[in-house]
Amino acid sequence: VVGLVATGLLMIYSASAMQVYQPNAGGPSQPLFFVTKQAVAVLLGAVLTIVAMKLDYRRLDAPRLVAAGLGLLLAALVVVLFRPPINGTRRWIDLGVMSLQPSEFAKIGLVVALAALLSRREGELDDVKRTLLPVAGLLAVLGGLVLLQPDFGTALSYFAIAAAMLFYAGLRLRWFAGGALLAVPALVVYAWSAPYRRARILAFLHPESDPLGSGYQALQSLIAVGTGGVTGLGLGDGKQKLFFLPYPYTDFIYAIVGEELGLIGCAFVLALFGMVFARGMRAAVNAPDTFGRLLGLGLAVMIVVQALVNISVVLALLPTKGIPLPFLSYGGSALWADLLAVGILLNVSQHAP
């Protein structure tokens, strides 16, 4: 994790150094503007990691705490819908000195709530009223509020996390098949219902058909990755960050890694994520109780699913989605949520027999 965060700071500096000179940048013309803000976010995130690492994870299993946490997250997800839109979406709550994205923290709330529920229903996973309906209801409320922002990618990540936890808990495969039969058509209809979502899907299938419009980001991202070759152009020597690739320091930072550090740099980042997942799963498997096992698995999957989706978007393997690359992309909320998850994972690992 330290390696990923350090790589992120390095690449944010490289990818954002020229962005502050845009007329609409909104910040002072200083190359260190974005990386300085991210460094402060890293320090605050480190505090969250240490606190989560020191507090016994089993305290999170308290019903009142789970209910209070979910209530606070749901209230935040409702409040954000009434905030002024930013780039056509309502995802952030402005607190003056910082902005928070509740949907990022809702991922951790979902993992904790599902771990608490499923650990109490070990012998009743197939019980519709006691297990499946509460899980479906929680997903419907959280996912529905996030879709209203709109944030299709984050809502899908909720379902992926829940599916992994249910599978690990031992839910029979027939329930997954039934859920897919209901969910897939609904998601297809939703994805096709808005013009901008249709444009993203069509651009994903044929980005070259509109190289200056809907296919622009995908093509520029592929150009960045392709020109990097095996060893890259060299740190700081990338060209796509010079106002060709939009927001290269956020969702498309992996493209800058590919351009400047090449296949070697991309493989290094992938290897670090693989290590995080392997260690997270080890902590989950060795946890002394069911709650700890489900909690560890859910948090490990949460981090890796985000990473795989982001990297797939950068490589044009998935339609464009606004999901940041954990630990590397610029932004405080996603970083804090991921570092909080790491702190809980470290705490779970400390209780291994």
Side-chain angles (χ1 to χ4, degrees):
V1 170
V2 171
L4 286 168
V5 171
T7 302
L9 288 173
L10 190 65
M11 297 313 301
I12 287 171
Y13 168 65
S14 178
S16 68
M18 294 299 294
Q19 297 292 316
V20 293
Y21 294 102
Q22 292 188 98
N24 60 347
S29 297
Q30 298 177 359
L32 297 176
F33 178 71
F34 287 103
V35 73
T36 300
K37 290 186 66 176
Q38 188 72 0
V40 173
V42 168
L43 292 176
L44 293 175
V47 173
L48 287 176
T49 301
I50 293 171
V51 171
M53 186 172 61
K54 297 297 182 183
L55 293 176
D56 192 334
Y57 76 88
R58 287 171 289 200
R59 294 186 180 182
L60 298 175
D61 196 18
R64 290 184 179 179
L65 181 61
V66 173
L70 284 178
L72 182 62
L73 289 169
L74 289 174
L77 289 173
V78 171
V79 168
V80 79
L81 297 177
F82 296 93
R83 304 297 301 169
I86 300 176
N87 294 329
T89 62
R90 292 178 171 86
R91 301 179 186 177
W92 294 272
I93 297 177
D94 187 3
L95 301 179
V97 295
M98 66 179 71
S99 296
L100 291 179
Q101 190 174 352
S103 60
E104 293 292 341
F105 297 97
K107 295 175 186 175
I108 295 180
L110 174 65
V111 171
V112 173
L114 288 180
L117 174 65
L118 296 178
S119 63
R120 290 182 172 86
R121 303 286 192 270
E122 284 192 79
E124 304 174 291
L125 289 177
D126 292 322
D127 191 308
V128 175
K129 290 184 179 180
R130 287 179 55 79
T131 306
L132 298 180
L133 281 180
V135 170
L138 179 60
L139 280 173
V141 173
L142 289 177
L145 288 172
V146 172
L147 285 175
L148 291 175
Q149 295 181 1
D151 190 349
F152 189 53
T154 298
L156 281 181
S157 71
Y158 291 176
F159 286 91
I161 293 167
M165 295 181 69
L166 286 166
F167 178 79
Y168 187 72
L171 185 66
R172 295 180 183 178
L173 292 179
R174 62 186 177 91
W175 290 108
F176 291 100
L181 289 175
L182 293 174
V184 171
L187 292 174
V188 170
V189 170
Y190 176 82
W192 207 255
S193 62
Y196 79 93
R197 286 195 289 269
R198 288 200 303 271
R200 284 186 177 183
I201 295 172
L202 294 174
F204 161 66
L205 295 174
H206 303 287
E208 70 283 351
S209 64
D210 190 10
L212 297 180
S214 57
Y216 181 78
Q217 280 186 313
L219 290 176
Q220 296 300 319
S221 179
L222 289 176
I223 289 172
V225 175
T227 54
V230 175
T231 58
L233 301 179
L235 185 64
D237 290 337
K239 305 300 186 295
Q240 289 302 102
K241 64 190 178 185
L242 302 178
F243 314 113
F244 293 103
L245 183 63
Y247 302 106
Y249 51 93
T250 55
D251 297 343
F252 283 87
I253 196 166
Y254 192 73
I256 305 302
V257 173
E259 184 182 21
E260 298 189 353
L261 303 182
L263 176 63
I264 294 174
C266 288
F268 174 72
V269 171
L270 279 174
L272 290 180
F273 277 115
M275 291 175 65
V276 169
F277 183 67
R279 300 298 293 185
M281 289 301 299
R282 180 178 178 180
V285 171
N286 293 328
D289 54 21
T290 304
F291 175 71
R293 289 191 289 273
L294 290 168
L295 185 64
L297 172 119
L299 294 175
V301 168
M302 181 192 94
I303 294 171
V304 173
V305 163
Q306 292 180 91
L308 292 178
V309 170
N310 177 277
I311 292 171
S312 296
V313 168
V314 167
L315 299 179
L317 299 175
L318 286 176
T320 304
K321 294 177 177 62
I323 293 184
L325 184 59
F327 310 117
L328 274 79
S329 291
Y330 172 79
S333 293
L335 178 67
W336 293 331
D338 292 329
L339 288 177
L340 180 59
V342 169
I344 299 173
L345 277 173
L346 287 169
N347 188 277
V348 172
S349 70
Q350 293 174 9
H351 291 83

